[in-house]
Amino acid sequence: MDSGSSRLRMNNPAGTMVAVVGPSGAGKDSLIHIAMAHFARQACVHFVQRVITRPADAGGEQHLGVSPVEFEAMREQGAFAVDWDAHGLSYGIPASVHEKLALGHLVIANGSRSALPNWAKAFPSLLVINVTASPEVLAERLVARGRESREEILERLKRGSLKVEGGYDVVDVDNSGALADAGAKLIATLEAVLARRAGT
């Protein structure tokens, strides 16, 4: 990371970084899209486009697709505020988010539970939105993707935890039911962050 980005990171106590995490099938991308539409006209709210080592037209979230070689070059150049590897891919949050945080803004990004220790080091003010759903609902959604059987998925879910471990500031959003209900909770949570910021 270059010296300018380092100075920004050390001097951005005013803004809040929000990491939206959760297991596959929980609906993180859908909820983020709802929040993006709601906050579209608020200049102090920013949704991050991640850099990922997969094609930009691969589906799912809108991201900047780069090759593994390009990603490594960006990492060495200090282009990321935080980056991590998962499921055979590399993910990066652009270092430019520090500029928004230094202005006291709210920044939201799709994250990863396994990478949260790195996020906590990068962002002094970090809020984790843990999107969950019941194992049965997760299984049904994942079965629809056609990659595993329902039995395989349920067995895998039993071995894992839907909780966020560690001393983070966490808000759980249950997306087992109507998407609109979970979206409303996410929006209310972000609105509360903005209200606290306005009151400081």
Side-chain angles (χ1 to χ4, degrees):
M1 180 176 293
D2 62 36
S3 60
S5 296
S6 298
R7 286 194 298 272
L8 282 170
R9 183 173 64 178
M10 290 186 293
N11 295 314
N12 69 20
T16 298
M17 185 74 199
V18 178
V20 181
V21 304
S24 295
K28 299 185 298 293
D29 290 337
S30 296
L31 291 175
I32 288 174
H33 286 153
I34 289 174
M36 287 176 67
H38 179 82
F39 292 102
R41 297 184 180 181
Q42 295 202 35
C44 63
V45 180
H46 310 275
F47 291 85
V48 177
Q49 183 182 53
R50 299 193 296 181
V51 179
I52 308 177
T53 54
R54 69 182 177 205
D57 59 356
E61 69 177 284
Q62 292 185 348
H63 66 280
L64 175 61
V66 300
S67 71
V69 172
E70 290 171 324
F71 191 95
E72 286 303 319
M74 294 176 72
R75 178 152 41 195
E76 292 177 4
Q77 293 166 5
F80 303 125
V82 63
D83 62 85
W84 67 97
D85 301 314
H87 311 298
L89 297 172
S90 296
Y91 300 80
I93 302 298
S96 58
V97 299
H98 288 306
E99 299 172 8
K100 308 301 184 184
L101 293 169
L103 295 172
H105 291 183
L106 178 62
V107 181
I108 302 100
N110 197 329
S112 169
R113 287 176 295 176
S114 64
L116 285 177
N118 295 337
W119 285 65
K121 292 177 182 178
F123 306 113
S125 179
L126 175 67
L127 172 64
V128 179
I129 304 291
N130 183 37
V131 181
T132 63
S134 69
E136 293 76 18
V137 169
L138 289 175
E140 292 302 326
R141 292 174 181 169
L142 294 174
V143 165
R145 299 181 181 180
R147 300 171 188 169
E148 300 173 88
S149 71
R150 189 173 190 279
E151 291 71 24
E152 290 172 331
I153 292 168
L154 283 172
E155 184 60 32
R156 177 165 55 80
L157 291 173
K158 288 179 182 178
R159 296 195 300 267
S161 172
L162 299 180
K163 295 182 179 180
V164 171
E165 305 294 340
Y168 307 104
D169 183 7
V170 180
V171 174
D172 291 309
V173 175
D174 188 343
N175 191 29
S176 300
L179 180 63
D181 292 339
K185 181 169 183 180
L186 173 58
I187 289 170
T189 300
L190 298 178
E191 292 279 16
V193 175
L194 290 174
R196 289 197 298 272
R197 185 181 67 85
T200 57

